[in-house]
Amino acid sequence: MKATINKKGHFSAAHRLYNNHWDYQKNIEIFGKCAYLNYHGHNYEYITSITGEIDIETGFVFSLQKLKNILHEEIEELFDHKNINLDIKEFYSINPTMENIVIFMWNKINQRISSYLDLKITLYETKNNFVEYDGKS
Amino acid sequence: MKATINKKGHFSAAHRLYNNHWDYQKNIEIFGKCAYLNYHGHNYEYITSITGEIDIETGFVFSLQKLKNILHEEIEELFDHKNINLDIKEFYSINPTMENIVIFMWNKINQRISSYLDLKITLYETKNNFVEYDGKS
Amino acid sequence: MKATINKKGHFSAAHRLYNNHWDYQKNIEIFGKCAYLNYHGHNYEYITSITGEIDIETGFVFSLQKLKNILHEEIEELFDHKNINLDIKEFYSINPTMENIVIFMWNKINQRISSYLDLKITLYETKNNFVEYDGKS
Amino acid sequence: MKATINKKGHFSAAHRLYNNHWDYQKNIEIFGKCAYLNYHGHNYEYITSITGEIDIETGFVFSLQKLKNILHEEIEELFDHKNINLDIKEFYSINPTMENIVIFMWNKINQRISSYLDLKITLYETKNNFVEYDGKS
Amino acid sequence: MKATINKKGHFSAAHRLYNNHWDYQKNIEIFGKCAYLNYHGHNYEYITSITGEIDIETGFVFSLQKLKNILHEEIEELFDHKNINLDIKEFYSINPTMENIVIFMWNKINQRISSYLDLKITLYETKNNFVEYDGKS
Amino acid sequence: MKATINKKGHFSAAHRLYNNHWDYQKNIEIFGKCAYLNYHGHNYEYITSITGEIDIETGFVFSLQKLKNILHEEIEELFDHKNINLDIKEFYSINPTMENIVIFMWNKINQRISSYLDLKITLYETKNNFVEYDGKS
């Protein structure tokens, strides 16, 4: 039988939205206050959802302790108390919208788990705005 | 690549549940306290979920600023601080259960977005009771 | 030793803000959308806080089971799924602002507990707007 | 038209994670603090999600009042203020992980609703760890 | 200038309410389901509030990093994934009501901070039931 | 009769903790990850609490609509989507700890309300860390 286990995590980071091919005026028009020069920031929260068979011996789809370690190594060390535009090289040229961040996180975590498992990541930028990505299309 | 962006909104409204073809006694039996004559109300919360391709230039599935404007025009102006039974003509004859309200909201929002996008609405009547509708069946 | 025990409760009700001595125009000017004629509503939440000595035999300041019964009788039966302006006679002439509601609730509950105990009520009209009253001034 | 209605519930229970075929050392290695001998506990929260056609007369997929009664009889009477390992005979030999508990709950609730309805249960062990099961694989 | 800094923490534990001088029947009458023999449990959350002068060099009333370490040593190591009645000797004879637990926690933390600082602890047994203690009476 | 009305607000901002009189090594030692060079950020939430007499004509301690406008002008325009260290001149030389930010906010809001009213501000840097200031000592 298959079930989906979910674990919430969080990190605090700075970012700004910006398309380097546009001038400042165009960026403000499209991204509003999110394009301000000196960065702003968020308490990001994210949910890692893993779907797979329940192991008979442990009763687990995936050990939450192992998952905690993976998330610490792949996500929190990279993102927590960082500036996403300046500190993570993949975002030097990619705009750190929540859509682009969630795909980056999905790729980081997906390479650490078995291909028999389905992965979905949900990323909250604020309590009211969030994004989901499951690598399926 | 496709992702799903989500935005929470809210409105405060009064309503009562009532089937005009039944007498008061039958309405109380089926709807309990929700059928009381003088209306009660809720702080409704709703999540608008839009699934689609991520635009390369913006990094957005859909601009949250544009979505905010659509939700203001289509939902909040109609529902906020209103009596759903008395102030919204579609509910003169339709019982404003959360199921019927969410379908009405889905139709209002869906006509404002591209047909390439998938829409789901989640409507919370209270913290404990909520409904989802995605227009698929 | 004294401690403060707290219990959350909730009710859903309709209301409108209105001063009967003013015309509609003046009411809209002062109360905005809250003065609309057909009522709106909220999921009210409230916290009952009781401060007193801890009883040695039970380890309780006040039995939460007894408090639950008092709140059911004094608050929920009166307010839940009601229209505050129309269904509660004290609000025929008093404007049901959260300030006036919380004082009414405080008086209802305070008459049911010992005078050796201090009472405070916190009432949430929405997640963002709330009021506190402790009967002290 | 189909929609999904959801209702949250909760119970407080004690449990420990343990595989009877392993010694204590192995259990601690796999389950960490969750294997401690004297049990620990949680405020479990769960969401019951039912998908089906909306009834034209009531505007309901499923009466939330009826669902409340089913959940009281099938879940809360069994789990609330209990020790899952000691008080529920099915867990004498099954490890009460959140995965195994959610499947047990799904079976209890599914036998009480029509086969035309789809059921999903989401079970929160803490705010950060939760599991979903829909009986589909 | 004085301010109050607050830090939330949490632990999961089992307990039961019981007065050893009473028989089982009397305990059930007073404590209801909380007196059941095999224990139940909670995800306890607590807020540590420290009031004092703001240090000019750091801008801190108290370092949250130091506070985190104190809470880990004094509270989480003792309570997390434990049975309060069986694993903490002070509760062999004291009934682990939230009132008695919060006073015990306050004493543990208060001995680790300067006497120039005021301490208050708020302990949540569930989302709806919580207790506050400030050592002042 | 006096009551306390409370309104929640929020802003997203970047900051870093830093004492300009110390070298980087000392700053990291005292402030940990909060001292990283490129800034991080938070979804700050704050509660404005105003205590005063209830006006008989309106039933208000203070109009929440007026308060909303004050908070927009004094707080959100200054802080939202800004870098506190770089964009707010008072923090060029003051370390933007939550203690120092809350006092700055209190002064901004207090100058806009009557001296007959008592003001308290609660500022959340994250869900787990928050500070309170009431101007009283």
Side-chain angles (χ1 to χ4, degrees):
Chain A
M1 275 171 304
K2 282 189 174 182
T4 300
I5 59 105
N6 303 269
K7 187 167 189 63
K8 264 198 201 172
H10 54 90
F11 55 86
S12 294
H15 82 148
R16 69 186 291 223
L17 299 188
Y18 214 76
N19 181 327
N20 294 319
H21 301 94
W22 297 341
D23 63 13
Y24 184 67
Q25 199 53 41
K26 173 84 187 261
N27 273 288
I28 289 290
E29 189 188 310
I30 301 298
F31 299 121
K33 296 190 288 189
C34 298
Y36 284 176
L37 280 176
N38 288 328
Y39 310 100
H40 60 281
H42 300 292
N43 300 320
Y44 289 92
E45 297 202 331
Y46 65 103
I47 300 171
T48 303
S49 305
I50 296 177
T51 303
E53 289 290 331
I54 301 172
D55 179 80
I56 290 173
E57 283 203 312
T58 58
F60 283 165
V61 168
F62 195 92
S63 159
L64 288 175
Q65 185 55 52
K66 276 187 200 164
L67 182 55
K68 190 178 176 181
N69 294 339
I70 290 172
L71 298 176
H72 181 75
E73 291 166 23
E74 298 294 334
I75 304 300
E76 279 143 51
E77 288 200 347
L78 200 58
F79 281 98
D80 193 32
H81 284 73
K82 299 290 180 61
N83 182 310
I84 299 176
N85 304 64
L86 298 181
D87 291 326
I88 302 181
K89 67 173 188 300
E90 287 83 353
F91 290 100
Y92 292 174
S93 57
I94 291 177
N95 194 9
T97 59
M98 60 183 189
E99 289 91 331
N100 285 333
I101 298 171
V102 80
I103 290 173
F104 177 81
M105 292 170 67
W106 189 92
N107 285 321
K108 284 274 178 195
I109 299 168
N110 197 48
Q111 69 183 5
R112 294 290 300 273
I113 65 172
S114 158
S115 62
Y116 291 104
L117 298 168
D118 287 324
L119 176 67
K120 187 175 91 165
I121 308 292
T122 305
L123 176 68
Y124 287 75
E125 203 168 84
T126 67
K127 278 187 307 188
N128 293 329
N129 297 334
F130 60 103
V131 65
E132 298 162 276
Y133 181 67
D134 65 6
K136 287 197 178 139
S137 55
Chain B
M1 276 172 301
K2 282 188 175 183
T4 301
I5 59 105
N6 302 270
K7 187 165 189 63
K8 264 196 200 173
H10 54 90
F11 55 87
S12 294
H15 81 150
R16 70 185 290 224
L17 299 188
Y18 213 77
N19 180 327
N20 295 318
H21 301 94
W22 298 340
D23 64 13
Y24 185 67
Q25 198 54 40
K26 174 83 186 266
N27 272 287
I28 289 289
E29 188 187 313
I30 301 298
F31 299 120
K33 295 190 289 188
C34 298
Y36 284 176
L37 280 176
N38 288 328
Y39 311 100
H40 60 282
H42 301 290
N43 299 321
Y44 288 92
E45 297 201 331
Y46 64 104
I47 299 171
T48 303
S49 305
I50 296 178
T51 302
E53 288 291 331
I54 301 172
D55 179 79
I56 289 173
E57 284 204 312
T58 58
F60 284 165
V61 168
F62 196 92
S63 159
L64 289 175
Q65 185 55 52
K66 276 188 202 164
L67 182 55
K68 191 177 175 182
N69 294 339
I70 291 172
L71 299 177
H72 182 74
E73 291 166 24
E74 298 294 335
I75 304 300
E76 278 142 50
E77 287 200 348
L78 200 58
F79 281 99
D80 194 31
H81 284 72
K82 299 290 180 60
N83 182 311
I84 300 176
N85 304 64
L86 298 181
D87 290 326
I88 303 179
K89 68 174 187 300
E90 287 83 351
F91 290 101
Y92 292 174
S93 57
I94 291 177
N95 195 9
T97 59
M98 59 183 188
E99 289 92 330
N100 285 334
I101 298 172
V102 79
I103 290 173
F104 177 81
M105 292 169 68
W106 188 92
N107 284 322
K108 284 274 179 194
I109 299 168
N110 197 48
Q111 70 183 7
R112 294 288 299 273
I113 65 172
S114 157
S115 63
Y116 292 104
L117 298 168
D118 287 324
L119 176 67
K120 186 175 92 167
I121 308 292
T122 305
L123 176 68
Y124 287 77
E125 202 167 85
T126 67
K127 279 189 306 189
N128 293 329
N129 297 333
F130 59 103
V131 65
E132 297 160 278
Y133 182 67
D134 64 6
K136 288 200 177 134
S137 56
Chain C
M1 276 172 303
K2 282 188 174 183
T4 301
I5 60 104
N6 302 268
K7 187 167 190 62
K8 264 197 201 172
H10 54 90
F11 55 86
S12 294
H15 82 149
R16 69 184 294 224
L17 299 189
Y18 214 77
N19 180 328
N20 294 320
H21 301 93
W22 298 340
D23 64 13
Y24 185 67
Q25 200 52 41
K26 172 85 187 262
N27 272 287
I28 289 290
E29 187 187 312
I30 301 298
F31 299 121
K33 296 191 287 189
C34 298
Y36 284 177
L37 281 176
N38 289 328
Y39 309 100
H40 60 282
H42 300 291
N43 301 320
Y44 289 92
E45 297 201 331
Y46 64 103
I47 300 171
T48 304
S49 305
I50 296 177
T51 302
E53 289 290 330
I54 302 172
D55 178 81
I56 290 173
E57 283 203 313
T58 58
F60 283 166
V61 168
F62 196 92
S63 159
L64 289 175
Q65 186 54 52
K66 275 188 200 165
L67 181 55
K68 190 178 177 182
N69 294 340
I70 291 172
L71 299 177
H72 182 74
E73 292 167 22
E74 298 294 333
I75 305 298
E76 278 143 49
E77 288 200 348
L78 198 58
F79 281 98
D80 193 31
H81 284 72
K82 299 291 180 60
N83 183 310
I84 300 176
N85 305 64
L86 298 180
D87 291 327
I88 303 181
K89 68 174 186 300
E90 287 83 352
F91 290 100
Y92 292 173
S93 57
I94 291 177
N95 194 9
T97 58
M98 59 183 188
E99 289 92 330
N100 285 333
I101 298 172
V102 79
I103 290 174
F104 177 81
M105 292 170 68
W106 188 92
N107 285 321
K108 283 275 180 194
I109 299 167
N110 196 49
Q111 68 184 6
R112 294 288 300 272
I113 65 172
S114 157
S115 62
Y116 292 104
L117 299 167
D118 286 324
L119 175 67
K120 186 175 92 167
I121 308 292
T122 305
L123 176 68
Y124 287 76
E125 201 168 86
T126 68
K127 278 189 306 188
N128 294 329
N129 298 334
F130 60 103
V131 65
E132 298 161 276
Y133 181 68
D134 65 7
K136 285 196 180 140
S137 54
Chain D
M1 276 172 303
K2 281 188 174 184
T4 301
I5 58 105
N6 302 268
K7 188 168 189 60
K8 265 198 198 170
H10 54 90
F11 55 86
S12 294
H15 82 148
R16 70 186 291 224
L17 299 188
Y18 214 77
N19 180 329
N20 294 319
H21 300 95
W22 297 341
D23 64 13
Y24 184 68
Q25 199 54 40
K26 174 83 186 264
N27 272 288
I28 289 289
E29 187 188 312
I30 300 298
F31 298 120
K33 294 190 290 190
C34 298
Y36 285 177
L37 280 176
N38 288 329
Y39 310 99
H40 60 282
H42 300 291
N43 300 321
Y44 289 91
E45 297 202 331
Y46 64 103
I47 299 170
T48 303
S49 305
I50 296 177
T51 303
E53 289 291 331
I54 301 172
D55 179 80
I56 289 173
E57 284 204 312
T58 58
F60 283 166
V61 168
F62 196 92
S63 158
L64 289 175
Q65 185 54 52
K66 276 188 201 164
L67 181 55
K68 190 177 176 182
N69 293 340
I70 291 172
L71 298 177
H72 182 74
E73 291 167 23
E74 298 294 334
I75 304 299
E76 278 142 51
E77 288 200 347
L78 200 58
F79 281 98
D80 193 32
H81 283 73
K82 300 290 180 62
N83 183 310
I84 301 176
N85 304 65
L86 299 180
D87 290 327
I88 303 180
K89 67 174 188 299
E90 287 83 352
F91 289 100
Y92 292 173
S93 58
I94 291 177
N95 195 9
T97 59
M98 59 183 188
E99 289 92 331
N100 285 333
I101 298 172
V102 79
I103 290 174
F104 176 81
M105 291 169 68
W106 188 92
N107 285 321
K108 283 275 179 194
I109 299 168
N110 197 49
Q111 69 183 4
R112 294 289 299 273
I113 65 172
S114 157
S115 62
Y116 292 104
L117 299 167
D118 287 323
L119 176 66
K120 186 174 92 164
I121 307 292
T122 305
L123 176 67
Y124 287 77
E125 202 168 86
T126 67
K127 278 188 306 187
N128 293 329
N129 298 333
F130 59 102
V131 65
E132 297 161 277
Y133 181 68
D134 66 6
K136 286 198 178 138
S137 56
Chain E
M1 277 172 300
K2 282 189 175 183
T4 301
I5 60 105
N6 303 268
K7 187 167 190 60
K8 266 198 198 171
H10 55 88
F11 55 85
S12 293
H15 81 150
R16 69 185 292 224
L17 298 189
Y18 213 77
N19 180 329
N20 294 319
H21 300 94
W22 298 340
D23 64 12
Y24 185 68
Q25 199 53 41
K26 173 83 186 263
N27 272 288
I28 288 290
E29 188 188 311
I30 301 297
F31 298 120
K33 295 192 288 190
C34 298
Y36 284 177
L37 281 176
N38 288 328
Y39 309 99
H40 61 283
H42 300 291
N43 300 321
Y44 289 92
E45 298 201 330
Y46 64 104
I47 299 171
T48 303
S49 306
I50 296 177
T51 302
E53 289 290 332
I54 301 173
D55 179 80
I56 289 173
E57 284 204 312
T58 58
F60 284 167
V61 167
F62 197 91
S63 160
L64 289 174
Q65 186 55 53
K66 276 188 200 163
L67 181 57
K68 190 177 177 183
N69 293 340
I70 290 172
L71 299 177
H72 182 74
E73 291 167 23
E74 298 295 333
I75 304 298
E76 278 142 50
E77 288 200 347
L78 199 59
F79 281 98
D80 193 32
H81 283 73
K82 300 291 180 59
N83 182 310
I84 300 176
N85 304 65
L86 298 180
D87 290 326
I88 302 180
K89 67 175 187 299
E90 286 83 352
F91 291 100
Y92 292 173
S93 57
I94 292 177
N95 194 10
T97 58
M98 60 183 188
E99 288 91 331
N100 285 333
I101 297 171
V102 80
I103 290 174
F104 176 81
M105 293 170 67
W106 189 92
N107 284 321
K108 283 274 180 194
I109 299 167
N110 197 49
Q111 69 183 6
R112 294 289 300 273
I113 64 171
S114 157
S115 62
Y116 292 103
L117 299 167
D118 286 323
L119 176 67
K120 186 176 91 167
I121 307 293
T122 306
L123 176 69
Y124 287 77
E125 203 168 85
T126 68
K127 279 189 305 189
N128 293 330
N129 297 333
F130 60 102
V131 65
E132 297 161 278
Y133 181 68
D134 65 6
K136 287 200 179 134
S137 55
Chain F
M1 275 171 302
K2 282 188 175 184
T4 301
I5 60 104
N6 303 268
K7 185 165 191 63
K8 265 198 201 173
H10 54 90
F11 54 87
S12 294
H15 81 149
R16 69 185 292 225
L17 299 188
Y18 213 77
N19 180 328
N20 294 320
H21 300 92
W22 297 341
D23 65 12
Y24 184 67
Q25 199 53 42
K26 174 83 187 266
N27 272 287
I28 289 290
E29 189 187 311
I30 301 299
F31 299 120
K33 296 191 287 190
C34 298
Y36 284 176
L37 281 176
N38 288 327
Y39 310 100
H40 61 282
H42 300 291
N43 299 320
Y44 289 92
E45 297 202 330
Y46 64 103
I47 299 171
T48 303
S49 305
I50 296 178
T51 303
E53 289 291 330
I54 302 173
D55 179 80
I56 289 174
E57 283 204 313
T58 59
F60 284 166
V61 168
F62 196 91
S63 159
L64 289 174
Q65 186 55 51
K66 276 188 201 165
L67 182 55
K68 190 178 177 182
N69 294 339
I70 291 173
L71 298 177
H72 182 73
E73 291 167 22
E74 298 294 333
I75 304 299
E76 277 142 51
E77 288 200 347
L78 198 59
F79 281 99
D80 193 32
H81 284 72
K82 298 292 180 60
N83 182 311
I84 300 175
N85 305 64
L86 299 180
D87 291 326
I88 302 180
K89 67 174 189 297
E90 287 84 351
F91 291 100
Y92 292 173
S93 58
I94 291 177
N95 195 10
T97 58
M98 58 184 189
E99 288 92 332
N100 286 332
I101 298 171
V102 80
I103 290 174
F104 177 81
M105 293 169 67
W106 188 92
N107 285 320
K108 283 273 180 196
I109 299 168
N110 197 49
Q111 70 184 5
R112 295 287 301 272
I113 65 172
S114 156
S115 62
Y116 292 103
L117 299 168
D118 287 323
L119 176 67
K120 186 176 92 166
I121 308 293
T122 306
L123 176 69
Y124 287 77
E125 202 168 86
T126 68
K127 279 188 305 188
N128 293 330
N129 297 333
F130 59 103
V131 65
E132 297 161 277
Y133 181 67
D134 65 6
K136 288 200 177 135
S137 55

